[in-house]
mmCIF file of all heavy atoms in Angstrom:
data_model
loop_
_atom_site.group_PDB
_atom_site.id
_atom_site.type_symbol
_atom_site.label_atom_id
_atom_site.label_comp_id
_atom_site.label_asym_id
_atom_site.label_seq_id
_atom_site.Cartn_x
_atom_site.Cartn_y
_atom_site.Cartn_z
ATOM 1 N N MET X 1 125.274 -92.509 -0.814
ATOM 2 C CA MET X 1 125.765 -93.285 0.290
ATOM 3 C C MET X 1 125.831 -92.418 1.536
ATOM 4 O O MET X 1 126.136 -91.247 1.468
ATOM 5 C CB MET X 1 127.164 -93.790 -0.040
ATOM 6 C CG MET X 1 127.204 -95.264 -0.169
ATOM 7 S SD MET X 1 128.873 -95.840 -0.444
ATOM 8 C CE MET X 1 128.557 -96.744 -1.911
ATOM 9 N N THR X 2 125.621 -93.040 2.655
ATOM 10 C CA THR X 2 125.691 -92.272 3.886
ATOM 11 C C THR X 2 127.144 -92.105 4.307
ATOM 12 O O THR X 2 128.031 -92.798 3.828
ATOM 13 C CB THR X 2 124.913 -92.975 5.013
ATOM 14 O OG1 THR X 2 125.538 -94.233 5.263
ATOM 15 C CG2 THR X 2 123.460 -93.157 4.645
ATOM 16 N N ALA X 3 127.363 -91.178 5.214
ATOM 17 C CA ALA X 3 128.727 -90.882 5.654
ATOM 18 C C ALA X 3 129.348 -92.050 6.408
ATOM 19 O O ALA X 3 130.557 -92.204 6.415
ATOM 20 C CB ALA X 3 128.724 -89.627 6.512
ATOM 21 N N THR X 4 128.550 -92.889 7.051
ATOM 22 C CA THR X 4 129.115 -93.997 7.814
ATOM 23 C C THR X 4 129.446 -95.195 6.934
ATOM 24 O O THR X 4 130.301 -95.990 7.281
ATOM 25 C CB THR X 4 128.139 -94.448 8.920
ATOM 26 O OG1 THR X 4 126.905 -94.810 8.320
ATOM 27 C CG2 THR X 4 127.931 -93.357 9.932
ATOM 28 N N ARG X 5 128.803 -95.324 5.806
ATOM 29 C CA ARG X 5 129.059 -96.483 4.939
ATOM 30 C C ARG X 5 130.273 -96.277 4.055
ATOM 31 O O ARG X 5 130.912 -97.232 3.647
ATOM 32 C CB ARG X 5 127.839 -96.774 4.070
ATOM 33 C CG ARG X 5 126.683 -97.313 4.896
ATOM 34 C CD ARG X 5 125.597 -97.815 4.048
ATOM 35 N NE ARG X 5 126.039 -99.017 3.357
ATOM 36 C CZ ARG X 5 125.343 -99.609 2.411
ATOM 37 N NH1 ARG X 5 124.198 -99.120 2.042
ATOM 38 N NH2 ARG X 5 125.788 -100.682 1.833
ATOM 39 N N ARG X 6 130.598 -95.037 3.739
ATOM 40 C CA ARG X 6 131.717 -94.787 2.836
ATOM 41 C C ARG X 6 133.054 -95.279 3.399
ATOM 42 O O ARG X 6 133.805 -95.929 2.682
ATOM 43 C CB ARG X 6 131.792 -93.302 2.490
ATOM 44 C CG ARG X 6 132.855 -93.012 1.469
ATOM 45 C CD ARG X 6 132.673 -91.654 0.917
ATOM 46 N NE ARG X 6 131.543 -91.675 0.013
ATOM 47 C CZ ARG X 6 131.555 -91.154 -1.185
ATOM 48 N NH1 ARG X 6 132.603 -90.519 -1.597
ATOM 49 N NH2 ARG X 6 130.509 -91.217 -1.961
ATOM 50 N N PRO X 7 133.386 -95.015 4.683
ATOM 51 C CA PRO X 7 134.648 -95.554 5.204
ATOM 52 C C PRO X 7 134.673 -97.081 5.218
ATOM 53 O O PRO X 7 135.722 -97.683 5.006
ATOM 54 C CB PRO X 7 134.732 -94.996 6.625
ATOM 55 C CG PRO X 7 133.875 -93.797 6.613
ATOM 56 C CD PRO X 7 132.776 -94.090 5.633
ATOM 57 N N LEU X 8 133.528 -97.712 5.459
ATOM 58 C CA LEU X 8 133.481 -99.175 5.436
ATOM 59 C C LEU X 8 133.760 -99.706 4.038
ATOM 60 O O LEU X 8 134.500 -100.672 3.871
ATOM 61 C CB LEU X 8 132.123 -99.669 5.924
ATOM 62 C CG LEU X 8 131.802 -99.431 7.397
ATOM 63 C CD1 LEU X 8 130.395 -99.886 7.709
ATOM 64 C CD2 LEU X 8 132.818 -100.133 8.269
ATOM 65 N N LEU X 9 133.169 -99.071 3.041
ATOM 66 C CA LEU X 9 133.401 -99.488 1.665
ATOM 67 C C LEU X 9 134.856 -99.261 1.270
ATOM 68 O O LEU X 9 135.475 -100.124 0.644
ATOM 69 C CB LEU X 9 132.474 -98.709 0.721
ATOM 70 C CG LEU X 9 132.628 -99.000 -0.769
ATOM 71 C CD1 LEU X 9 132.294 -100.460 -1.058
ATOM 72 C CD2 LEU X 9 131.739 -98.075 -1.580
ATOM 73 N N ARG X 10 135.390 -98.135 1.664
ATOM 74 C CA ARG X 10 136.789 -97.831 1.336
ATOM 75 C C ARG X 10 137.727 -98.836 2.003
ATOM 76 O O ARG X 10 138.678 -99.321 1.388
ATOM 77 C CB ARG X 10 137.107 -96.416 1.790
ATOM 78 C CG ARG X 10 138.414 -95.923 1.304
ATOM 79 C CD ARG X 10 138.582 -94.472 1.633
ATOM 80 N NE ARG X 10 139.780 -93.965 0.991
ATOM 81 C CZ ARG X 10 140.215 -92.758 1.120
ATOM 82 N NH1 ARG X 10 139.535 -91.882 1.830
ATOM 83 N NH2 ARG X 10 141.308 -92.377 0.516
ATOM 84 N N GLY X 11 137.453 -99.170 3.255
ATOM 85 C CA GLY X 11 138.267 -100.162 3.957
ATOM 86 C C GLY X 11 138.163 -101.541 3.327
ATOM 87 O O GLY X 11 139.153 -102.263 3.223
ATOM 88 N N ALA X 12 136.962 -101.898 2.895
ATOM 89 C CA ALA X 12 136.772 -103.197 2.240
ATOM 90 C C ALA X 12 137.517 -103.254 0.914
ATOM 91 O O ALA X 12 138.115 -104.283 0.579
ATOM 92 C CB ALA X 12 135.289 -103.463 2.025
ATOM 93 N N LEU X 13 137.510 -102.167 0.169
ATOM 94 C CA LEU X 13 138.249 -102.142 -1.100
ATOM 95 C C LEU X 13 139.752 -102.224 -0.873
ATOM 96 O O LEU X 13 140.463 -102.901 -1.623
ATOM 97 C CB LEU X 13 137.887 -100.882 -1.893
ATOM 98 C CG LEU X 13 136.480 -100.865 -2.474
ATOM 99 C CD1 LEU X 13 136.200 -99.524 -3.145
ATOM 100 C CD2 LEU X 13 136.289 -102.001 -3.460
ATOM 101 N N TRP X 14 140.249 -101.545 0.154
ATOM 102 C CA TRP X 14 141.675 -101.645 0.484
ATOM 103 C C TRP X 14 142.034 -103.076 0.881
ATOM 104 O O TRP X 14 143.063 -103.611 0.473
ATOM 105 C CB TRP X 14 142.042 -100.682 1.606
ATOM 106 C CG TRP X 14 142.450 -99.328 1.121
ATOM 107 C CD1 TRP X 14 141.730 -98.184 1.206
ATOM 108 C CD2 TRP X 14 143.664 -98.992 0.450
ATOM 109 N NE1 TRP X 14 142.427 -97.157 0.630
ATOM 110 C CE2 TRP X 14 143.620 -97.620 0.161
ATOM 111 C CE3 TRP X 14 144.776 -99.726 0.069
ATOM 112 C CZ2 TRP X 14 144.659 -96.965 -0.488
ATOM 113 C CZ3 TRP X 14 145.810 -99.065 -0.585
ATOM 114 C CH2 TRP X 14 145.747 -97.710 -0.855
ATOM 115 N N ALA X 15 141.197 -103.704 1.678
ATOM 116 C CA ALA X 15 141.452 -105.083 2.097
ATOM 117 C C ALA X 15 141.459 -106.027 0.901
ATOM 118 O O ALA X 15 142.315 -106.911 0.805
ATOM 119 C CB ALA X 15 140.406 -105.518 3.110
ATOM 120 N N LEU X 16 140.528 -105.822 -0.018
ATOM 121 C CA LEU X 16 140.483 -106.649 -1.221
ATOM 122 C C LEU X 16 141.736 -106.465 -2.063
ATOM 123 O O LEU X 16 142.304 -107.437 -2.576
ATOM 124 C CB LEU X 16 139.233 -106.309 -2.036
ATOM 125 C CG LEU X 16 139.018 -107.093 -3.318
ATOM 126 C CD1 LEU X 16 138.800 -108.564 -3.001
ATOM 127 C CD2 LEU X 16 137.840 -106.533 -4.086
ATOM 128 N N ALA X 17 142.188 -105.232 -2.201
ATOM 129 C CA ALA X 17 143.404 -104.958 -2.976
ATOM 130 C C ALA X 17 144.623 -105.602 -2.324
ATOM 131 O O ALA X 17 145.472 -106.181 -3.018
ATOM 132 C CB ALA X 17 143.598 -103.452 -3.118
ATOM 133 N N ILE X 18 144.710 -105.546 -1.002
ATOM 134 C CA ILE X 18 145.853 -106.146 -0.302
ATOM 135 C C ILE X 18 145.842 -107.662 -0.440
ATOM 136 O O ILE X 18 146.886 -108.288 -0.659
ATOM 137 C CB ILE X 18 145.848 -105.705 1.176
ATOM 138 C CG1 ILE X 18 146.210 -104.219 1.259
ATOM 139 C CG2 ILE X 18 146.796 -106.540 2.010
ATOM 140 C CD1 ILE X 18 146.017 -103.609 2.623
ATOM 141 N N VAL X 19 144.669 -108.259 -0.348
ATOM 142 C CA VAL X 19 144.564 -109.718 -0.517
ATOM 143 C C VAL X 19 144.947 -110.119 -1.941
ATOM 144 O O VAL X 19 145.672 -111.102 -2.148
ATOM 145 C CB VAL X 19 143.140 -110.202 -0.157
ATOM 146 C CG1 VAL X 19 142.911 -111.633 -0.610
ATOM 147 C CG2 VAL X 19 142.911 -110.065 1.332
ATOM 148 N N ALA X 20 144.495 -109.361 -2.937
ATOM 149 C CA ALA X 20 144.822 -109.674 -4.330
ATOM 150 C C ALA X 20 146.328 -109.554 -4.576
ATOM 151 O O ALA X 20 146.930 -110.425 -5.216
ATOM 152 C CB ALA X 20 144.054 -108.754 -5.267
ATOM 153 N N LEU X 21 146.946 -108.489 -4.056
ATOM 154 C CA LEU X 21 148.397 -108.339 -4.220
ATOM 155 C C LEU X 21 149.151 -109.447 -3.490
ATOM 156 O O LEU X 21 150.151 -109.959 -3.996
ATOM 157 C CB LEU X 21 148.845 -106.970 -3.707
ATOM 158 C CG LEU X 21 148.518 -105.796 -4.608
ATOM 159 C CD1 LEU X 21 148.887 -104.489 -3.911
ATOM 160 C CD2 LEU X 21 149.248 -105.914 -5.922
ATOM 161 N N GLY X 22 148.686 -109.818 -2.316
ATOM 162 C CA GLY X 22 149.321 -110.911 -1.584
ATOM 163 C C GLY X 22 149.245 -112.222 -2.350
ATOM 164 O O GLY X 22 150.207 -112.992 -2.373
ATOM 165 N N ALA X 23 148.115 -112.471 -3.004
ATOM 166 C CA ALA X 23 147.977 -113.697 -3.803
ATOM 167 C C ALA X 23 148.923 -113.688 -4.994
ATOM 168 O O ALA X 23 149.550 -114.708 -5.308
ATOM 169 C CB ALA X 23 146.534 -113.841 -4.275
ATOM 170 N N VAL X 24 149.061 -112.549 -5.644
ATOM 171 C CA VAL X 24 149.983 -112.453 -6.779
ATOM 172 C C VAL X 24 151.418 -112.667 -6.323
ATOM 173 O O VAL X 24 152.181 -113.409 -6.950
ATOM 174 C CB VAL X 24 149.820 -111.092 -7.490
ATOM 175 C CG1 VAL X 24 150.949 -110.852 -8.475
ATOM 176 C CG2 VAL X 24 148.474 -111.026 -8.191
ATOM 177 N N PHE X 25 151.809 -112.034 -5.224
ATOM 178 C CA PHE X 25 153.170 -112.209 -4.723
ATOM 179 C C PHE X 25 153.411 -113.654 -4.293
ATOM 180 O O PHE X 25 154.504 -114.184 -4.480
ATOM 181 C CB PHE X 25 153.455 -111.254 -3.580
ATOM 182 C CG PHE X 25 153.573 -109.819 -4.012
ATOM 183 C CD1 PHE X 25 153.040 -108.814 -3.236
ATOM 184 C CD2 PHE X 25 154.213 -109.476 -5.189
ATOM 185 C CE1 PHE X 25 153.135 -107.485 -3.627
ATOM 186 C CE2 PHE X 25 154.319 -108.160 -5.594
ATOM 187 C CZ PHE X 25 153.788 -107.163 -4.808
ATOM 188 N N ALA X 26 152.416 -114.308 -3.725
ATOM 189 C CA ALA X 26 152.567 -115.707 -3.325
ATOM 190 C C ALA X 26 152.771 -116.603 -4.544
ATOM 191 O O ALA X 26 153.542 -117.566 -4.493
ATOM 192 C CB ALA X 26 151.351 -116.162 -2.529
ATOM 193 N N LEU X 27 152.098 -116.290 -5.642
ATOM 194 C CA LEU X 27 152.288 -117.086 -6.855
ATOM 195 C C LEU X 27 153.695 -116.941 -7.411
ATOM 196 O O LEU X 27 154.257 -117.865 -7.988
ATOM 197 C CB LEU X 27 151.259 -116.682 -7.917
ATOM 198 C CG LEU X 27 149.834 -117.157 -7.666
ATOM 199 C CD1 LEU X 27 148.896 -116.582 -8.722
ATOM 200 C CD2 LEU X 27 149.759 -118.670 -7.660
ATOM 201 N N TYR X 28 154.293 -115.768 -7.254
ATOM 202 C CA TYR X 28 155.648 -115.556 -7.760
ATOM 203 C C TYR X 28 156.700 -116.281 -6.946
ATOM 204 O O TYR X 28 157.852 -116.351 -7.339
ATOM 205 C CB TYR X 28 155.971 -114.062 -7.835
ATOM 206 C CG TYR X 28 155.519 -113.457 -9.135
ATOM 207 C CD1 TYR X 28 154.373 -112.693 -9.194
ATOM 208 C CD2 TYR X 28 156.227 -113.681 -10.302
ATOM 209 C CE1 TYR X 28 153.939 -112.155 -10.389
ATOM 210 C CE2 TYR X 28 155.807 -113.153 -11.504
ATOM 211 C CZ TYR X 28 154.663 -112.382 -11.535
ATOM 212 O OH TYR X 28 154.236 -111.860 -12.717
ATOM 213 N N LEU X 29 156.329 -116.836 -5.806
ATOM 214 C CA LEU X 29 157.266 -117.635 -5.026
ATOM 215 C C LEU X 29 157.458 -119.026 -5.631
ATOM 216 O O LEU X 29 158.338 -119.764 -5.210
ATOM 217 C CB LEU X 29 156.783 -117.755 -3.577
ATOM 218 C CG LEU X 29 156.816 -116.456 -2.779
ATOM 219 C CD1 LEU X 29 156.200 -116.677 -1.405
ATOM 220 C CD2 LEU X 29 158.232 -115.934 -2.653
ATOM 221 N N ARG X 30 156.626 -119.361 -6.604
ATOM 222 C CA ARG X 30 156.751 -120.653 -7.288
ATOM 223 C C ARG X 30 157.501 -120.434 -8.603
ATOM 224 O O ARG X 30 156.933 -119.928 -9.570
ATOM 225 C CB ARG X 30 155.370 -121.233 -7.565
ATOM 226 C CG ARG X 30 154.611 -121.558 -6.291
ATOM 227 C CD ARG X 30 153.234 -122.084 -6.544
ATOM 228 N NE ARG X 30 153.201 -123.071 -7.611
ATOM 229 C CZ ARG X 30 152.093 -123.439 -8.240
ATOM 230 N NH1 ARG X 30 150.952 -122.907 -7.904
ATOM 231 N NH2 ARG X 30 152.142 -124.339 -9.184
ATOM 232 N N PRO X 31 158.768 -120.807 -8.668
ATOM 233 C CA PRO X 31 159.567 -120.547 -9.870
ATOM 234 C C PRO X 31 159.016 -121.220 -11.126
ATOM 235 O O PRO X 31 159.138 -120.680 -12.222
ATOM 236 C CB PRO X 31 160.945 -121.103 -9.528
ATOM 237 C CG PRO X 31 160.968 -121.230 -8.052
ATOM 238 C CD PRO X 31 159.555 -121.402 -7.608
ATOM 239 N N ASP X 32 158.397 -122.384 -10.982
ATOM 240 C CA ASP X 32 157.864 -123.067 -12.155
ATOM 241 C C ASP X 32 156.726 -122.263 -12.786
ATOM 242 O O ASP X 32 156.591 -122.213 -14.008
ATOM 243 C CB ASP X 32 157.398 -124.476 -11.809
ATOM 244 C CG ASP X 32 156.372 -124.503 -10.682
ATOM 245 O OD1 ASP X 32 156.394 -123.586 -9.855
ATOM 246 O OD2 ASP X 32 155.562 -125.449 -10.636
ATOM 247 N N LEU X 33 155.940 -121.605 -11.966
ATOM 248 C CA LEU X 33 154.852 -120.774 -12.488
ATOM 249 C C LEU X 33 155.411 -119.555 -13.220
ATOM 250 O O LEU X 33 154.936 -119.205 -14.286
ATOM 251 C CB LEU X 33 153.926 -120.332 -11.360
ATOM 252 C CG LEU X 33 152.823 -119.382 -11.815
ATOM 253 C CD1 LEU X 33 151.720 -120.150 -12.530
ATOM 254 C CD2 LEU X 33 152.267 -118.608 -10.661
ATOM 255 N N VAL X 34 156.421 -118.935 -12.628
ATOM 256 C CA VAL X 34 157.024 -117.757 -13.259
ATOM 257 C C VAL X 34 157.637 -118.133 -14.598
ATOM 258 O O VAL X 34 157.469 -117.424 -15.595
ATOM 259 C CB VAL X 34 158.073 -117.123 -12.323
ATOM 260 C CG1 VAL X 34 158.778 -115.982 -13.003
ATOM 261 C CG2 VAL X 34 157.421 -116.655 -11.045
ATOM 262 N N PHE X 35 158.336 -119.255 -14.649
ATOM 263 C CA PHE X 35 158.933 -119.701 -15.906
ATOM 264 C C PHE X 35 157.863 -120.014 -16.948
ATOM 265 O O PHE X 35 157.997 -119.670 -18.123
ATOM 266 C CB PHE X 35 159.804 -120.934 -15.661
ATOM 267 C CG PHE X 35 160.479 -121.440 -16.897
ATOM 268 C CD1 PHE X 35 161.555 -120.762 -17.437
ATOM 269 C CD2 PHE X 35 160.022 -122.578 -17.524
ATOM 270 C CE1 PHE X 35 162.168 -121.216 -18.583
ATOM 271 C CE2 PHE X 35 160.623 -123.040 -18.670
ATOM 272 C CZ PHE X 35 161.703 -122.365 -19.212
ATOM 273 N N SER X 36 156.786 -120.663 -16.511
ATOM 274 C CA SER X 36 155.690 -120.985 -17.423
ATOM 275 C C SER X 36 155.049 -119.715 -17.986
ATOM 276 O O SER X 36 154.766 -119.637 -19.192
ATOM 277 C CB SER X 36 154.654 -121.828 -16.694
ATOM 278 O OG SER X 36 153.538 -122.063 -17.507
ATOM 279 N N LEU X 37 154.807 -118.719 -17.135
ATOM 280 C CA LEU X 37 154.229 -117.455 -17.604
ATOM 281 C C LEU X 37 155.157 -116.756 -18.589
ATOM 282 O O LEU X 37 154.717 -116.244 -19.621
ATOM 283 C CB LEU X 37 153.950 -116.533 -16.418
ATOM 284 C CG LEU X 37 152.676 -116.793 -15.652
ATOM 285 C CD1 LEU X 37 152.634 -115.900 -14.408
ATOM 286 C CD2 LEU X 37 151.467 -116.533 -16.506
ATOM 287 N N ALA X 38 156.447 -116.734 -18.273
ATOM 288 C CA ALA X 38 157.410 -116.092 -19.166
ATOM 289 C C ALA X 38 157.451 -116.800 -20.519
ATOM 290 O O ALA X 38 157.512 -116.141 -21.569
ATOM 291 C CB ALA X 38 158.788 -116.084 -18.524
ATOM 292 N N THR X 39 157.380 -118.103 -20.515
ATOM 293 C CA THR X 39 157.395 -118.874 -21.769
ATOM 294 C C THR X 39 156.136 -118.568 -22.591
ATOM 295 O O THR X 39 156.212 -118.398 -23.802
ATOM 296 C CB THR X 39 157.480 -120.379 -21.454
ATOM 297 O OG1 THR X 39 158.635 -120.606 -20.662
ATOM 298 C CG2 THR X 39 157.564 -121.187 -22.733
ATOM 299 N N GLN X 40 154.987 -118.517 -21.941
ATOM 300 C CA GLN X 40 153.751 -118.240 -22.662
ATOM 301 C C GLN X 40 153.737 -116.829 -23.238
ATOM 302 O O GLN X 40 153.271 -116.619 -24.365
ATOM 303 C CB GLN X 40 152.557 -118.442 -21.732
ATOM 304 C CG GLN X 40 152.321 -119.890 -21.375
ATOM 305 C CD GLN X 40 151.209 -120.053 -20.369
ATOM 306 O OE1 GLN X 40 150.575 -119.100 -19.959
ATOM 307 N NE2 GLN X 40 150.978 -121.296 -19.935
ATOM 308 N N ILE X 41 154.242 -115.877 -22.471
ATOM 309 C CA ILE X 41 154.274 -114.486 -22.976
ATOM 310 C C ILE X 41 155.256 -114.386 -24.134
ATOM 311 O O ILE X 41 154.982 -113.736 -25.139
ATOM 312 C CB ILE X 41 154.634 -113.517 -21.831
ATOM 313 C CG1 ILE X 41 153.483 -113.461 -20.847
ATOM 314 C CG2 ILE X 41 154.962 -112.145 -22.362
ATOM 315 C CD1 ILE X 41 153.786 -112.708 -19.571
ATOM 316 N N TRP X 42 156.411 -115.053 -24.012
ATOM 317 C CA TRP X 42 157.413 -114.997 -25.078
ATOM 318 C C TRP X 42 156.892 -115.664 -26.350
ATOM 319 O O TRP X 42 157.235 -115.250 -27.465
ATOM 320 C CB TRP X 42 158.703 -115.665 -24.612
ATOM 321 C CG TRP X 42 159.814 -115.530 -25.588
ATOM 322 C CD1 TRP X 42 160.338 -116.509 -26.363
ATOM 323 C CD2 TRP X 42 160.536 -114.327 -25.909
ATOM 324 N NE1 TRP X 42 161.339 -116.014 -27.143
ATOM 325 C CE2 TRP X 42 161.477 -114.672 -26.886
ATOM 326 C CE3 TRP X 42 160.452 -113.009 -25.477
ATOM 327 C CZ2 TRP X 42 162.341 -113.723 -27.431
ATOM 328 C CZ3 TRP X 42 161.318 -112.085 -26.021
ATOM 329 C CH2 TRP X 42 162.242 -112.453 -26.983
ATOM 330 N N ALA X 43 156.037 -116.664 -26.211
ATOM 331 C CA ALA X 43 155.486 -117.359 -27.381
ATOM 332 C C ALA X 43 154.565 -116.445 -28.192
ATOM 333 O O ALA X 43 154.345 -116.702 -29.381
ATOM 334 C CB ALA X 43 154.720 -118.606 -26.935
ATOM 335 N N CYS X 44 154.058 -115.389 -27.596
ATOM 336 C CA CYS X 44 153.194 -114.459 -28.327
ATOM 337 C C CYS X 44 153.979 -113.652 -29.359
ATOM 338 O O CYS X 44 153.410 -113.145 -30.318
ATOM 339 C CB CYS X 44 152.507 -113.510 -27.360
ATOM 340 S SG CYS X 44 151.317 -114.311 -26.288
ATOM 341 N N PHE X 45 155.260 -113.493 -29.144
ATOM 342 C CA PHE X 45 156.082 -112.702 -30.065
ATOM 343 C C PHE X 45 156.730 -113.622 -31.024
ATOM 344 O O PHE X 45 157.284 -113.553 -31.904
ATOM 345 C CB PHE X 45 157.128 -111.892 -29.300
ATOM 346 C CG PHE X 45 156.518 -110.962 -28.295
ATOM 347 C CD1 PHE X 45 156.592 -111.208 -26.950
ATOM 348 C CD2 PHE X 45 155.835 -109.835 -28.725
ATOM 349 C CE1 PHE X 45 156.036 -110.346 -26.037
ATOM 350 C CE2 PHE X 45 155.263 -108.957 -27.815
ATOM 351 C CZ PHE X 45 155.375 -109.224 -26.464
#
């Protein structure tokens, strides 16, 4: 990779990570989803 493309790729990966974390945090604002996930995980045990 060239020296100019590496910072662009790194910035794009950071942006993708921030968007993914934001989506996860937004889902946790829905209590019904959190309860449903907890119930499904607890059912595994």
Side-chain angles (χ1 to χ4, degrees):
M1 246 184 235
T2 63
T4 57
R5 290 190 69 188
R6 185 166 286 228
L8 292 176
L9 178 62
R10 190 173 188 182
L13 289 176
W14 271 107
L16 181 64
I18 290 170
V19 167
L21 285 174
V24 168
F25 289 140
L27 286 175
Y28 273 103
L29 292 175
R30 296 178 44 197
D32 56 333
L33 176 77
V34 175
F35 181 74
S36 175
L37 279 173
T39 303
Q40 290 175 2
I41 291 171
W42 186 251
C44 293
F45 302 107

